[in-house]
Amino acid sequence: MELNLAEWQIIIVKVAIILGVVPMAALVGGYAEHKVMAHLQHRLGPMYAGGFHGWAQTLADGLKFLYKEDIIPDAADKRVFKLAPVAIFVPVVMIYLVIPIDRTLMIENLDLGLFYLLAIGSVSSIGLIMAGWSSANKYALIGALRSAAQLIAYELPIVLAAAAVAMLAGTLSLNGIVEAQDWPFALWPIGIGQVAFLLFTVGSVAEMTRIPFDMPVAESEIITGPFTEYTGMRYIFAHMFAEMGHMVAFAGIAATLFLGGYKPIVPWEPLEVIPGFVWFFGKLVFMVFLFLWMRPTFPRVREDQLQKFAWKFLIPVGLALILAVGAWVLYAPESIKG
Amino acid sequence: MPEGGTYFGQYVTIGIFALVGVGLVLGALALAKLVAPNVPDTDKYTTYESGIDPIGSGWSQVNVRYYIFALLFVVFDVEAVFLFPWAIVFQGLGTQGFVEMVIFIGILAIALLYAAKKEVLEWQ
């Protein structure tokens, strides 16, 4: 395939935008996490770095990690150990490619957008197993196995919820899914949209291994799980950037699939004057806040409870959801579909 | 449906993206190599085990029951491969297509029920 100069320039600009967005998302998300958690717990959080309400705290943290000595344990499988942060981080960056920010503003409008998201989003779990196994550390090994078991168990509710959305919208293109939502799916009056939204939200918190589903990195028993032996920039990419990048990406996906993406939250003419990207980012920030809110609110779920919850509750509900959506789309009378 | 060139052109962007993502990580690691101190010491390179000298190898035996989850996951992930094409076209297939998917999901549900009855989904 031949690409001319202009097409190359477009690609370079796109690459530059996304590569700027992900570390920014990590920095801003990290700061938001400090501040939201602090205020929910009646603390102030960072107040000194940068002067104004400690805005530069995460930047300072990042610089600190840059200046840390790079240590790879003698016992580790060094090649895999070095490769793991790449295998964790790169798929996270690639999620951002297909999320539509505005009607025409997205990096690539893939026909298979939704399928691509689910496929690329699950590659990180291989990286986590690589990190945990190659460390040759007992904590890391336990953490890796827990991550693997958790990520696969909670991927299924996400897949089922996404399939329900695809059935309602009749397309896998993310632009098409947004266009299909006159009302956001999460606000449909019949319950299936809300169930799908809840499945997706719970599943994505577990995919990020955040509280209440953070057994893989439970610091009070297994240090930081697969990342126990990591330090400096490798740790930043494998854990910090990946977790924050995941959180913002999942918030964007949830906003697109269930909250109507770049469209107004309700189909009301005067709201159309607000530009689409403002709606999109508003919904994204709302989802991020929801994820952050959970951390100081819920206690950690035990490993066996976590597996039981996925396999005995979320997945059966997801399967039932698929059938309910199918029955709704095929057999509900046109008059109540609206 | 876009014509062949643009269709695969989208995947060229994705491929470039993956490469640049790898480059970003390697670049940051190279930068860290330039500025970070390097003071080798044997103690630093031992495996971390809460400050105690490590006992045995890090690759120790672990609970075998994790493999059941991997097995179950394969069942349901293969389902997803069939589910998405069906989800796009099922409106045109009507009742016949729907009943077929009900049977398919039913078989999977029986597999899950079997696993639950065998009590492999719970720790003892």
Side-chain angles (χ1 to χ4, degrees):
Chain A
M1 206 191 71
E2 290 291 309
L3 287 175
N4 61 35
L5 189 64
E7 283 170 323
W8 275 111
Q9 285 168 339
I10 291 171
I11 289 177
I12 289 168
V13 170
K14 286 172 172 177
V15 168
I17 290 172
I18 294 289
L19 291 183
V21 162
V22 178
M24 271 305 281
L27 289 177
V28 177
Y31 178 72
E33 175 156 42
H34 278 309
K35 278 299 192 186
V36 169
M37 269 179 65
H39 284 276
L40 285 170
Q41 294 167 337
H42 295 260
R43 297 184 286 115
L44 287 174
M47 286 302 279
Y48 293 99
F52 181 74
H53 286 265
W55 66 272
Q57 183 62 48
T58 39
L59 207 62
D61 286 344
L63 279 177
K64 183 200 78 173
F65 276 103
L66 186 64
Y67 283 91
K68 287 190 101 170
E69 186 173 355
D70 185 28
I71 292 173
I72 301 174
D74 280 332
D77 184 339
K78 291 187 183 58
R79 240 186 325 167
V80 183
F81 189 88
K82 286 177 185 169
L83 208 57
V86 180
I88 297 169
F89 177 72
V90 174
V92 176
V93 180
M94 292 177 73
I95 295 177
Y96 286 81
L97 272 172
V98 292
I99 300 173
I101 294 162
D102 206 337
R103 200 156 265 125
T104 53
L105 188 62
M106 63 194 301
I107 303 296
E108 284 297 341
N109 184 9
L110 292 185
D111 278 350
L112 290 172
L114 184 58
F115 202 69
Y116 167 85
L117 274 183
L118 298 170
I120 209 78
S122 54
V123 176
S124 294
S125 44
I126 298 171
L128 288 174
I129 301 171
M130 283 166 67
W133 184 260
S134 66
S135 297
N137 178 311
K138 297 184 186 76
Y139 300 122
L141 181 60
I142 296 170
L145 287 166
R146 284 182 179 179
S147 313
Q150 173 169 332
L151 292 189
I152 63 178
Y154 283 85
E155 196 177 304
L156 296 172
I158 290 182
V159 166
L160 293 170
V165 169
M167 290 165 75
L168 288 171
T171 174
L172 290 177
S173 149
L174 292 169
N175 252 358
I177 288 171
V178 174
E179 291 300 330
Q181 299 177 62
D182 285 332
W183 280 83
F185 287 139
L187 293 180
W188 279 27
I190 42 166
I192 47 181
Q194 290 83 343
V195 172
F197 180 56
L198 279 179
L199 281 182
F200 187 90
T201 312
V202 172
S204 42
V205 176
E207 290 284 300
M208 297 174 241
T209 61
R210 285 178 61 84
I211 285 178
F213 304 109
D214 69 333
M215 278 314 279
V217 291
E219 77 284 353
S220 51
E221 40 186 287
I222 52 169
I223 326 301
T224 33
F227 318 112
T228 301
E229 294 287 3
Y230 280 85
T231 178
M233 280 321 263
R234 287 183 213 283
Y235 176 74
I236 280 277
F237 277 108
H239 194 197
M240 291 305 176
F241 278 0
E243 185 184 321
M244 280 299 152
H246 246 138
M247 185 165 80
V248 176
F250 271 116
I253 298 168
T256 305
L257 297 187
F258 300 101
L259 302 179
Y262 49 75
K263 283 182 163 181
I265 193 78
V266 289
W268 188 44
E269 203 66 48
L271 289 177
E272 300 273 350
V273 294
I274 302 171
F277 67 89
V278 175
W279 280 112
F280 175 78
F281 282 112
K283 290 164 183 174
L284 186 142
V285 168
F286 168 75
M287 287 306 300
V288 168
F289 180 73
L290 211 62
F291 292 144
L292 294 178
W293 192 359
M294 287 183 192
R295 187 163 171 191
T297 308
F298 295 117
R300 178 178 291 148
V301 179
R302 217 170 57 208
E303 179 68 13
D304 62 324
Q305 295 168 332
L306 195 143
Q307 289 295 339
K308 206 169 118 183
F309 182 58
W311 292 102
K312 288 198 164 173
F313 181 71
L314 292 179
I315 292 167
V317 168
L319 293 175
L321 175 75
I322 295 292
L323 298 183
V325 173
W328 163 266
V329 173
L330 285 180
Y331 303 120
E334 289 299 324
S335 54
I336 59 164
K337 274 188 191 172
Chain B
M1 180 64 71
E3 44 117 4
T6 38
Y7 189 75
F8 289 109
Q10 295 182 319
Y11 290 94
V12 171
T13 318
I14 288 170
I16 292 170
F17 236 92
L19 290 179
V20 179
V22 174
L24 180 74
V25 181
L26 297 183
L29 287 174
L31 184 65
K33 213 176 177 67
L34 284 179
V35 295
N38 185 23
V39 190
D41 182 301
T42 37
D43 281 350
K44 281 184 187 170
Y45 297 101
T46 51
T47 302
Y48 177 74
E49 216 153 274
S50 302
I52 310 167
D53 285 338
I55 298 168
S57 162
W59 287 298
S60 51
Q61 287 192 329
V62 288
N63 200 332
V64 71
R65 68 177 57 250
Y66 284 111
Y67 113 95
I68 300 281
F69 294 119
L71 214 57
L72 269 175
F73 173 70
V74 173
V75 173
F76 283 94
D77 219 33
V78 173
E79 179 216 4
V81 174
F82 291 110
L83 194 60
F84 277 95
W86 174 81
I88 300 309
V89 298
F90 85 109
Q91 297 195 30
L93 297 176
T95 303
Q96 193 197 349
F98 184 59
V99 169
E100 280 172 3
M101 190 45 83
V102 171
I103 296 170
F104 184 52
I105 289 181
I107 294 170
L108 291 175
I110 290 171
L112 188 59
L113 205 65
Y114 178 74
K117 267 267 180 277
K118 283 274 177 187
E119 294 181 351
V120 292
L121 301 182
E122 281 173 61
W123 261 235
Q124 275 116 10

